[in-house]
Amino acid sequence: MSAEAGHPIVAIGASAGGLEALSELAAGLPAELPATILIVQHVLAGFGSKLPELLTVRGKLRATHAMHGEKILPGRIYVAPPDNHIVVRRGYLNVVRGPKENNHRPSVDVLFRSASAAYGPGVVGVVLTGFLDCGTAGLLSIKARGGLAVAQDPADAKEPEMPRSAIAHAQVDHVVPMREMAALITRLVSQPPGARPADLSHAISELEGDELGVPSDFVCPLCQGKLTETALNGFQSFRCHVGHAFSLQSVASEQADAVERALWAAVRALEETATVSRRLASSAIGDLRARFEEKSEAQAQYADSIRQILLDTRQASPTDAAALGHEE
């Protein structure tokens, strides 16, 4: 597979709403596509994926889950298996359970970043429908090495946040609705790529984790390690020493989830304390009994207040809850 012949790698990232978008794309791609399609669709760990079978039935290209060490062949679709990243090497694929990025494994950014490192300007990166801003950091890597960036028109996307972020930060080359996506990709893969830039900026090296960014005020939401941060084209990225990576939106999402867990833990602890105090009151006498009864009532009231705050918050922001859960 020669990078000089065109753009041999098309890396695609999708999240919520991706099933329908990818099905439409597969249906429009030609049988003799002179490029390889690599797909990350966010799925929850522990659940199987029938996406390759669906794409094979809908289109003319054979789709399979990627296998570790598998040779890259043109005219094929490789889908990241659940709970595994696709890491692109020159001529083959690695399938690994590396650190989560934006709390996802597989990660769109891992696919995009590794594809750009292996194939440089011969990569077309495509961001489709989804919550938050996954894929933006990876598109910045693709653009930095001379590749092409494509985004689904946010107005056409079931969930517009991912393509909207890509357009805002990554100097996207093409923005099209899904009905035009297959024809665009077919045209782009046959175009000769540009030159590979001689050097990468320090910001890209920091974004990809090869150099340390500046120390951050935050800790990693997943491992509590110290984060470093970098900014490029207005996009803020955070990474810990383990390799967990987050955008600012993902940090906010993870922190909100952590706060909710902590508050529910507080409700449980307060209710247990109230129960213990009631039991102590039943066997106590005099002033001691009154003190335990007062404590039990106060702890129960505190628990009810926190519970009400949590329930009111969840009812007031269903879109936030959906984004946090990433129900794909």
Side-chain angles (χ1 to χ4, degrees):
M1 185 179 291
S2 171
E4 289 70 24
H7 289 81
I9 299 293
V10 180
I12 301 174
S15 188
L19 186 62
E20 296 86 350
L22 291 167
S23 297
E24 184 175 353
L25 174 62
L29 293 172
E32 301 302 322
L33 187 76
T36 301
I37 306 292
L38 304 173
I39 294 174
V40 164
Q41 163 70 47
H42 289 157
V43 293
L44 296 176
F47 290 82
S49 169
K50 297 295 184 182
L51 182 58
E53 292 91 332
L54 176 63
L55 298 183
T56 299
V57 170
R58 289 297 305 273
K60 302 179 180 68
L61 302 177
R62 180 188 174 196
T64 60
H65 278 127
M67 298 180 62
H68 186 68
E70 186 171 10
K71 184 178 180 181
I72 295 175
L73 298 174
R76 289 278 300 275
I77 298 174
Y78 299 92
V79 179
D83 206 27
N84 283 271
H85 297 306
I86 288 182
V87 177
V88 182
R89 305 302 185 195
R90 189 76 184 184
Y92 67 98
L93 302 174
N94 281 344
V95 176
V96 300
R97 292 193 74 242
K100 292 182 178 182
E101 301 204 10
N102 290 328
N103 204 20
H104 285 296
R105 189 173 53 222
S107 162
V108 178
D109 291 320
V110 170
L111 169 62
F112 284 7
R113 182 172 67 244
S114 61
S116 72
Y119 285 89
V123 177
V124 178
V126 183
V127 173
L128 303 181
T129 173
F131 290 118
L132 301 183
D133 50 11
C134 299
T136 297
L139 274 191
L140 289 168
S141 293
I142 289 173
K143 291 293 293 181
R145 292 183 175 89
L148 297 176
V150 177
Q152 182 181 1
D153 186 344
D156 176 65
K158 181 177 180 180
E159 299 296 341
E161 294 178 14
M162 275 176 53
R164 185 179 292 150
S165 175
I167 294 165
H169 300 293
Q171 297 179 335
V172 168
D173 299 287
H174 301 276
V175 178
V176 295
M178 284 310 303
R179 64 180 179 274
E180 300 176 17
M181 190 68 72
L184 174 65
I185 289 174
T186 302
R187 184 172 78 250
L188 293 179
V189 298
S190 298
Q191 294 179 357
R196 181 189 287 263
D199 298 301
L200 293 178
S201 68
H202 289 298
I204 286 292
S205 296
E206 291 176 5
L207 192 71
E208 296 181 343
D210 294 328
E211 296 183 16
L212 290 177
V214 299
S216 173
D217 295 332
F218 313 130
V219 297
C220 176
L222 297 183
C223 70
Q224 311 309 309
K226 184 67 175 176
L227 290 172
T228 60
E229 63 179 277
T230 189
L232 179 62
N233 292 355
F235 181 76
Q236 298 177 65
S237 179
F238 302 80
R239 187 178 294 271
C240 74
H241 71 284
V242 171
H244 299 131
F246 305 88
S247 67
L248 184 59
Q249 284 191 1
S250 293
V251 168
S253 174
E254 291 301 313
Q255 286 181 340
D257 198 30
V259 168
E260 182 176 353
R261 290 195 301 269
L263 290 174
W264 280 118
V267 170
R268 175 193 56 78
L270 287 166
E271 289 180 339
E272 288 180 357
T273 302
T275 300
V276 170
S277 296
R278 281 196 300 273
R279 291 189 181 185
L280 289 170
S282 66
S283 59
I285 59 174
D287 291 345
L288 191 57
R289 180 170 186 167
R291 287 169 56 189
F292 280 130
E293 289 176 343
E294 182 181 354
K295 180 178 180 180
S296 175
E297 182 179 353
Q299 300 298 319
Q301 289 177 353
Y302 296 153
D304 287 343
S305 295
I306 296 174
R307 184 191 300 276
Q308 192 59 52
I309 291 171
L310 284 163
L311 295 177
D312 288 347
T313 300
R314 291 163 74 90
Q315 292 171 2
S317 55
T319 56
D320 289 347
L324 287 173
H326 277 235
E327 186 64 44
E328 316 299 356

